Amino acid sequence: MGKCQTEVREIRFVFEPELTQAYFSVQATGDCPIGVQGWHHKTFPASVSASDILARAGDGQESYLLWPLDAPPERG
């Protein structure tokens, strides 16, 4: 078993009337499994704020590394 380290490089939120979409860009180094590096995405109800999502990720309630890979929409 190797050593895998991750770093969150960027976080983006997309706010819609009924949904909050969270995107975490993760950089993986070392002996990480496939699917760790990239944009991880999850959709939350609008009642869950961005600060709630960040707090859950910070205290381990939400493991963004287990979210599916999906890139955010292009900025424009």
Side-chain angles (χ1 to χ4, degrees):
M1 181 79 52
K3 183 177 180 182
C4 175
Q5 295 179 327
T6 61
E7 175 184 351
V8 175
R9 302 297 301 254
E10 184 176 348
I11 299 172
R12 292 187 196 172
F13 292 99
V14 176
F15 300 100
E16 300 174 6
E18 307 230 354
L19 302 171
T20 299
Q21 310 233 15
Y23 297 88
F24 283 61
S25 175
V26 177
Q27 176 73 39
T29 57
D31 190 20
C32 295
I34 294 173
V36 172
Q37 182 164 301
W39 284 100
H40 293 265
H41 169 257
K42 186 170 181 181
T43 302
F44 295 87
S47 60
V48 180
S49 68
S51 61
D52 290 339
I53 296 167
L54 291 173
R56 290 179 185 184
D59 67 12
Q61 291 178 10
E62 281 290 335
S63 181
Y64 53 83
L65 292 176
L66 299 177
W67 299 352
L69 292 172
D70 188 19
E74 291 293 321
R75 295 190 224 186

